[in-house]
Amino acid sequence: MRLNRRQTGSNGRAAAVPAARATALVALMAATPLASSAAGLANEAEPLRLCADPTNLPFSSNNPTQPGFYLEVGQALSQQLGRPVAYDWYKSYFGKRTVRVTLLGKQCDAMIGLPLSADFMGPAVIFSKKIATETYALVSRGTLIVHSIDDLRGKRVAVQYQTTPQNLLAQRDDIEKVTVLTPDEGMAALAQGRADVAFVWGPVAGWLNKTTYESGFRIQPVEGDGLSWDAAIGLAKSSGQLRDQIDAALPQLAPRIAELAVKYGLPSQPSIRLGAVPRPIKLASTTDPAQLLRQPVAEAVVTSVSDSTASESKTEAVTLGKEIFNGTCAHCHGPDAVQAERRIDLRRLQTRYGEDMRDKFWTTVHEGRPSKGMPAWKEVFTDDQFESIYTFLLTVQSSETAN
């Protein structure tokens, strides 16, 4: 769906403090015949409350001049229903947890952009008809057209860490992988000549191509297992009547949705099929398709194909975690976590907390310890990045006895 990753994330870890939430009633769009005819009703109607991430373009934003694809769909829908629209702002890094807190917590009536899947959130969430299909995409300069995975042979491919594309390329020794954490990094690697192709989350790639790179790249959507999802509007199971009203309105909104897809640069070329993912490696964590809200990571990650492959995955996680740690955490906790001051020596986490080490880590990085000078990092890093940092810290634990 950051489904920042990774979000997102969606790994069933220690609960995080929700991002600051503010609900704002938003005026209806500029007057149209439809809006005018519904104006009297809208003034009396209850708002259509939408859960939304305030900083997640091209999908959503609290900037009224650039609301995002999903929010403009919501605005058009509210006009069709004759209701004003209000937003419950909440960061979408936390995947299913976001859905539980906002939608299922009755903070809002609907959440646009959830994966249209009967397996998602069990019977607790019901869905409208499809509003869009979101996919990963291959991004390249105009001279390179990819028809199959074999066309990537000998190429340097910037690929998002812990994603289905990474799984797909993992067993291809004839393709050079350039691991990146976000679509932004993948696009930058391509623009800087460090990669020939970027295999990243398509909606973000399309948006960046349109706004940052002056439409200078070719965006080829891909389809296949774990590479594409149908997106819909999610509602609590008790909202069947509203779901039926939304389904009745969507056919009339189809032209507007198509216009908005173009406006926000969503990939529109015919998809190419790269085939099934060949028994993906087991990653340090998984992310559910709720990351359609942000940047999805493969939901279905199964057992490793071999011990060596799993070992390579762990090594990669350690490397990434070490890089993030040294770029952000080393200021207080020392380069490579080497710190002489025992109270902030993270090599002693295991001896201090034993079996509670993981829970203590997750609570601290999400909530911070303001009284000790430790900020909350939940707005900066995704859960998948926290997972990489934790994996790195496991490799530096000391066996000395805690005081």
Side-chain angles (χ1 to χ4, degrees):
M1 192 164 305
R2 217 113 282 241
L3 240 184
N4 97 215
R5 315 158 337 336
R6 3 227 352 269
Q7 323 113 0
T8 180
S10 48
N11 307 304
R13 305 193 184 104
V17 175
R21 184 184 303 123
T23 303
L25 186 62
V26 179
L28 290 175
M29 301 287 283
T32 64
L34 174 61
S36 298
S37 64
L41 178 61
N43 288 336
E44 300 178 2
E46 287 293 321
L48 177 65
R49 301 174 304 154
L50 300 178
C51 308
D53 188 320
T55 56
N56 186 29
L57 288 172
F59 293 132
S60 61
S61 164
N62 60 3
N63 180 354
T65 65
Q66 205 170 58
F69 174 65
Y70 287 158
L71 291 201
E72 290 212 44
V73 169
Q75 290 169 355
L77 176 63
S78 72
Q79 291 185 33
Q80 188 76 16
L81 298 178
R83 297 173 62 173
V85 62
Y87 302 119
D88 185 66
W89 300 115
Y90 194 101
K91 289 287 189 178
S92 58
Y93 291 111
F94 305 112
K96 287 184 178 179
R97 190 186 312 153
T98 298
V99 180
R100 293 189 188 98
V101 171
T102 58
L103 182 64
L104 300 184
K106 300 182 179 180
Q107 301 295 330
C108 54
D109 304 310
M111 180 176 286
I112 301 177
L114 293 184
L116 182 54
S117 170
D119 295 329
F120 179 71
M121 302 292 288
V125 176
I126 58 176
F127 301 95
S128 71
K129 297 174 182 176
K130 181 180 78 170
I131 61 168
T133 298
E134 314 291 6
T135 76
Y136 283 97
L138 291 162
V139 187
S140 62
R141 300 192 182 277
T143 54
L144 177 62
I145 301 177
V146 179
H147 299 288
S148 72
I149 195 170
D150 288 335
D151 292 332
L152 299 177
R153 186 183 295 117
K155 302 291 192 298
R156 298 166 301 164
V157 180
V159 61
Q160 277 182 259
Y161 178 58
Q162 290 194 347
T163 62
T164 302
Q166 187 184 45
N167 290 338
L168 187 63
L169 301 183
Q171 297 184 27
R172 295 294 298 254
D173 294 333
D174 55 350
I175 298 173
E176 182 181 345
K177 276 76 73 177
V178 179
T179 303
V180 296
L181 295 178
T182 66
D184 308 56
E185 290 182 20
M187 297 289 282
L190 186 60
Q192 295 163 7
R194 295 184 288 111
D196 305 305
V197 180
F199 197 173
V200 294
W201 184 224
V204 177
W207 172 248
L208 291 173
N209 190 44
K210 184 180 180 73
T211 58
T212 303
Y213 298 103
E214 300 180 342
S215 300
F217 296 115
R218 179 190 302 276
I219 310 288
Q220 293 181 263
V222 297
E223 62 181 42
D225 225 5
L227 294 171
S228 62
W229 292 268
D230 287 338
I233 301 171
L235 307 95
K237 65 179 180 180
S238 59
S239 301
Q241 182 177 0
L242 177 57
R243 188 268 312 274
D244 293 343
Q245 293 172 351
I246 290 173
D247 280 347
L250 285 178
Q252 286 72 45
L253 296 179
R256 177 59 178 160
I257 292 174
E259 291 174 2
L260 292 171
V262 173
K263 176 179 178 178
Y264 287 97
L266 303 189
S268 58
Q269 297 295 320
S271 296
I272 59 175
R273 188 169 186 86
L274 295 185
V277 179
R279 287 187 59 79
I281 57 177
K282 182 175 179 59
L283 304 174
S285 62
T286 63
T287 302
D288 60 63
Q291 290 288 21
L292 277 173
L293 296 167
R294 187 161 288 273
Q295 300 161 17
V297 180
E299 177 191 27
V301 183
V302 296
T303 56
S304 59
V305 295
S306 67
D307 290 342
S308 62
T309 306
S311 178
E312 290 174 5
S313 178
K314 181 177 179 180
T315 299
E316 190 172 26
V318 169
T319 300
L320 286 169
K322 181 177 179 180
E323 180 180 346
I324 297 170
F325 182 92
N326 283 336
T328 303
C329 314
H331 177 72
C332 291
H333 297 287
D336 297 341
V338 176
Q339 169 59 259
E341 190 172 347
R342 292 170 66 86
R343 67 183 182 85
I344 54 174
D345 183 357
L346 300 186
R347 296 172 298 174
R348 303 177 66 248
L349 291 175
Q350 182 66 55
T351 56
R352 278 199 195 107
Y353 302 113
E355 294 181 356
D356 295 330
M357 172 183 168
R358 184 181 180 83
D359 287 343
K360 189 68 174 180
F361 171 83
W362 283 105
T363 300
T364 303
V365 295
H366 280 97
E367 299 180 7
R369 299 180 68 185
S371 64
K372 303 292 185 181
M374 168 73 176
W377 293 102
K378 62 180 181 292
E379 303 294 343
V380 179
F381 298 114
T382 67
D383 274 8
D384 287 323
Q385 289 171 314
F386 287 141
E387 180 71 41
S388 294
I389 297 171
Y390 182 78
T391 303
F392 160 64
L393 289 176
L394 286 176
T395 68
V396 299
Q397 293 306 296
S398 170
S399 60
E400 79 173 84
T401 303
N403 289 339

